[in-house]
């Protein structure tokens, strides 16, 4: 009976037996059947032979000096390189206890001496076929896992695209609705201020021309505290002017942040994008009932214009800064009210520079709660989040990873110390390579 070599890729058999006659017999028999046979007289030689060339099947004698077959098998199964190789025990011992032990240490089959050549070949053939099926199953499992990962990535990308479209439409609508009235207010405040000043001047002239007003005018002036009103009126006009200007800035930041009309790649000032994102998050950085104002420390390097997808890069800045604020709020929430906790100053650091590899580096660090070691391997997985329901979708870092690594061919890494904070570092090429 000759084994069909087309059914398997390798045909390397390692025979381990301390009896030279047995080795010669098995070697001649298997060679005649078309197998490639290597021989080892003891356990140490067998382990060395496996490291040099991985066999498809090992025929292993049990009774050997220094290291018996059970010990050899245990070492093979403990090594990641050799643990998958099928081991067939061959022994003159035919006791049930010996057979059970052979299977306990990882053997797949047991042949009692004296053996029949056809039986040995058939059992080797069965093990190689089984191994081939296992490999095919592993390959299918790998392909299925790959397909699942691709599906998850597609879902994340679809969610990101829909989110950006919705955001762009929302911002366009908000800008249209808010810009008209705020432009009217902002544009007319200057005239209103001038008119008020003219009226104040008129009152002052009256006071000079009629230094002794009537009792009724004196009473009204006292009731409205005319002197304070005149002094504070310009302050009020100035505050209104600054407030309307702030609304205009926020609307411009919204438009700049979403960049609805800039979906394509272009050269941009990264610092402007960061600043506009900070404007969007100003309400979260300000002092609240739970924490003092979060101090943002800026350390900008001398960056050139960077070729990128601005709208998507802004999403990354938003995700990372939002996460930094969340981490700070979590640390504040976990602190017990002590004198030391009163001294805690929440901070976010933003650093940019050009690296020696012609890349732009953007580092965003915080002194928040940090990231648990057990969570770090899953940090960029889609839909993984440690936040409570309604506070996080588990997409922020996954989307950021896709945008930086896949879209911009860059890197995103992080370092963290539990209870002390975390730092995320982005690196993207200054010029995107042609696709």
């Amino acid at each position: 009976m000759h084994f069909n070599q087309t059914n398997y890729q390798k045909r390397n058999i390692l025979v381990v037996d301390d009896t030279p006659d047995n080795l010669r017999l098995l070697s001649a028999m298997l060679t005649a059947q078309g197998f490639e046979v290597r021989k080892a007289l003891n356990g140490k030689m067998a382990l060395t032979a496996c490291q040099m060339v991985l066999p498809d099947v090992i025929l292993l004698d049990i009774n050997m000096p220094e290291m018996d077959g059970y010990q050899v098998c245990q070492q093979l199964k403990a090594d990641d390189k050799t643990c998958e190789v099928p081991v067939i025990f061959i022994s003159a011992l035919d006791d049930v206890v010996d057979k059970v032990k052979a299977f306990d240490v990882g053997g797949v089959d047991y042949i009692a001496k004296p053996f029949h050549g056809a039986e040995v070949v058939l059992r080797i053939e069965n093990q190689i076929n089984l191994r081939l099926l296992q490999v095919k199953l592993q390959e299918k499992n790998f392909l299925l896992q790959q397909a699942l990962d691709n599906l998850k990535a597609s879902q994340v990308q679809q969610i990101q695209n829909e989110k950006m479209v919705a955001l762009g439409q929302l911002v366009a609508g908000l800008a249209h609705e808010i810009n008209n009235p705020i432009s009217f207010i902002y544009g007319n405040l200057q005239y209103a201020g001038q008119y008020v000043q003219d009226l104040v001047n008129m009152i002052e002239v009256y006071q000079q021309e009629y230094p002794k007003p009537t009792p009724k005018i004196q009473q009204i002036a006292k009731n409205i505290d005319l002197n304070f009103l005149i002094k504070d009126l310009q302050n009020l006009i100035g505050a209104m002017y600054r407030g309307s200007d702030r609304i205009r800035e926020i609307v411009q930041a919204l438009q700049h942040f979403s960049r609805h009309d800039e979906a394509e790649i272009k050269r941009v000032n990264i610092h402007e994008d960061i600043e506009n994102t900070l404007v969007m998050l100003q309400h979260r950085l300000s002092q609240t009932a739970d924490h003092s104002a979060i101090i943002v420390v800026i350390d900008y390097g001398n960056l050139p214009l960077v070729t990128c997808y601005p709208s998507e890069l802004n999403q990354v800045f938003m995700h990372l800064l939002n996460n930094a604020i969340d981490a700070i709020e979590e640390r504040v929430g976990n602190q017990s009210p002590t004198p030391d906790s009163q001294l805690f100053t929440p901070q976010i650091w933003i650093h940019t520079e050009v690296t020696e590899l012609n890349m732009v580096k953007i580092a965003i660090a915080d002194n928040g709660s940090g990231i648990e070691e057990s969570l770090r391997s899953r940090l960029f997985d889609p839909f993984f989040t440690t936040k409570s329901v309604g506070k996080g979708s588990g997409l922020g870092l996954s989307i950021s990873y896709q945008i930086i690594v896949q879209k911009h061919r860059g890197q995103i890494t992080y370092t963290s110390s539990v209870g002390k904070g975390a730092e995320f570092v982005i690196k993207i090429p200054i010029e995107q390579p042609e696709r």
Side-chain angles (χ1 to χ4, degrees):
M1 174 178 146
H2 192 282
F3 182 69
N4 183 4
Q5 295 180 17
T6 62
N7 290 340
Y8 66 103
Q9 294 177 336
K10 296 182 180 180
R11 50 188 181 89
N12 188 297
I13 311 298
L14 176 64
V15 182
V16 188
D17 198 316
D18 65 328
T19 306
D21 288 341
N22 288 341
L23 280 180
R24 281 192 292 270
L25 175 61
L26 284 167
S27 177
M29 179 186 67
L30 296 174
T31 302
Q33 293 296 322
F35 292 106
E36 209 174 275
V37 181
R38 291 184 299 149
K39 296 171 282 188
L41 281 166
N42 56 54
K44 289 184 179 179
M45 290 176 62
L47 295 172
T48 302
C50 287
Q51 292 298 323
M52 293 175 63
V53 177
L54 199 65
D56 291 298
V57 175
I58 299 172
L59 296 182
L60 182 58
D61 188 26
I62 293 177
N63 282 333
M64 293 185 296
E66 296 184 16
M67 184 186 296
D68 64 25
Y70 300 132
Q71 293 171 309
V72 174
C73 189
Q74 285 174 323
Q75 290 202 27
L76 289 170
K77 296 304 172 184
D79 190 332
D80 289 340
K81 183 178 179 181
T82 58
C83 64
E84 299 292 339
V85 179
V87 176
I88 300 175
F89 282 101
I90 295 182
S91 176
L93 303 172
D94 198 21
D95 189 80
V96 172
V97 174
D98 299 309
K99 291 182 179 180
V100 169
K101 186 174 181 180
F103 287 112
D104 282 344
V105 296
V108 296
D109 206 348
Y110 188 101
I111 302 173
K113 296 179 183 178
F115 49 77
H116 300 286
E119 179 186 4
V120 174
V121 171
L122 182 61
R123 296 198 181 204
I124 290 175
E125 177 183 347
N126 286 340
Q127 291 305 323
I128 290 182
N129 281 333
L130 282 172
R131 181 69 189 132
L132 186 61
L133 290 172
Q134 287 176 345
V135 170
K136 286 183 177 179
L137 184 60
Q138 288 172 350
E139 289 174 353
K140 286 183 179 179
N141 287 340
F142 174 77
L143 292 173
L144 284 171
Q145 186 61 49
Q146 199 172 39
L148 181 60
D149 292 341
N150 290 338
L151 179 60
K152 283 185 177 180
S154 298
Q155 287 177 329
V156 170
Q157 190 61 48
Q158 185 178 2
I159 291 170
Q160 166 71 3
N161 292 340
E162 291 175 356
K163 183 177 180 180
M164 289 306 297
V165 170
L167 179 64
Q169 292 172 343
L170 175 64
V171 167
L174 281 173
H176 178 74
E177 293 298 325
I178 296 175
N179 262 340
N180 286 335
I182 201 61
S183 296
F184 176 81
I185 295 170
Y186 184 81
N188 285 295
L189 266 176
Q190 184 176 358
Y191 298 109
Q194 185 61 53
Y195 296 160
V196 168
Q197 186 60 50
D198 290 342
L199 290 173
V200 168
N201 292 339
M202 187 70 174
I203 292 171
E204 288 175 347
V205 170
Y206 265 102
Q207 288 175 328
Q208 293 169 5
E209 293 295 322
Y210 300 98
K212 292 183 179 181
T214 65
K216 185 176 180 180
I217 292 175
Q218 289 182 21
Q219 186 60 43
I220 292 173
K222 183 179 178 181
N223 289 341
I224 65 173
D225 196 352
L226 182 61
N227 291 334
F228 172 78
L229 186 150
I230 290 173
K231 291 179 182 178
D232 198 48
L233 196 54
Q234 289 302 317
N235 292 336
L236 288 176
I237 295 292
M240 292 165 67
Y241 191 85
R242 289 191 299 273
S244 61
D245 191 45
R246 174 65 177 162
I247 296 172
R248 288 175 69 248
E249 284 180 0
I250 291 172
V251 172
Q252 289 172 358
L254 272 168
Q255 292 172 317
H256 191 88
F257 172 77
S258 68
R259 292 183 181 265
H260 183 51
D261 57 342
E262 297 178 8
E264 296 302 318
I265 195 167
K266 65 178 296 183
R267 291 163 65 85
V268 299
N269 184 329
I270 292 292
H271 294 157
E272 285 184 3
D273 286 346
I274 295 173
E275 289 298 326
N276 278 285
T277 307
L278 288 172
V279 169
M280 297 278 290
L281 291 170
Q282 192 60 47
H283 66 289
R284 297 201 66 196
L285 296 169
S286 303
Q287 183 174 353
T288 68
D290 298 321
H291 64 76
S292 56
I294 298 173
I295 298 173
V296 179
V297 180
I298 301 294
D299 178 25
Y300 288 154
N302 186 20
L303 299 189
L305 295 179
V306 177
T307 303
C308 64
Y309 295 88
S311 175
E312 298 190 22
L313 201 57
N314 284 342
Q315 282 289 301
V316 176
F317 297 149
M318 177 62 82
H319 288 314
L320 295 183
L321 287 167
N322 252 325
N323 282 350
I325 296 170
D326 287 342
I328 288 171
E329 290 179 347
E330 182 180 346
R331 176 174 176 178
V332 171
N334 291 339
Q335 281 182 334
S336 55
T338 62
D340 289 340
S341 66
Q342 301 285 334
L343 299 175
F344 171 66
T345 303
Q347 285 187 310
I348 292 174
W349 295 267
I350 303 175
H351 168 79
T352 64
E353 65 177 81
V354 176
T355 71
E356 66 280 0
L357 298 176
N358 211 28
M359 305 268 281
V360 168
K361 173 183 173 182
I362 304 116
I364 297 175
D366 64 75
N367 60 349
S369 56
I371 304 165
E372 294 285 346
E373 183 70 36
S374 60
L375 305 177
R376 295 179 189 179
S377 63
R378 303 175 62 191
L379 210 57
F380 295 109
D381 289 356
F383 309 110
F384 174 73
T385 180
T386 59
K387 298 173 185 175
S388 58
V389 176
K391 289 192 174 181
S393 63
L395 289 174
L397 287 179
S398 176
I399 288 171
S400 298
Y401 183 89
Q402 284 196 2
I403 290 171
I404 297 301
V405 177
Q406 298 175 12
K407 198 76 180 272
H408 288 87
R409 301 185 182 183
Q411 304 166 12
I412 179 168
T413 57
Y414 66 90
T415 55
S416 179
S417 178
V418 176
K420 295 184 179 179
E423 179 183 46
F424 283 82
V425 175
I426 299 165
K427 292 180 182 178
I428 59 172
I430 293 174
E431 297 290 340
Q432 286 293 312
E434 292 185 7
R435 296 176 184 269

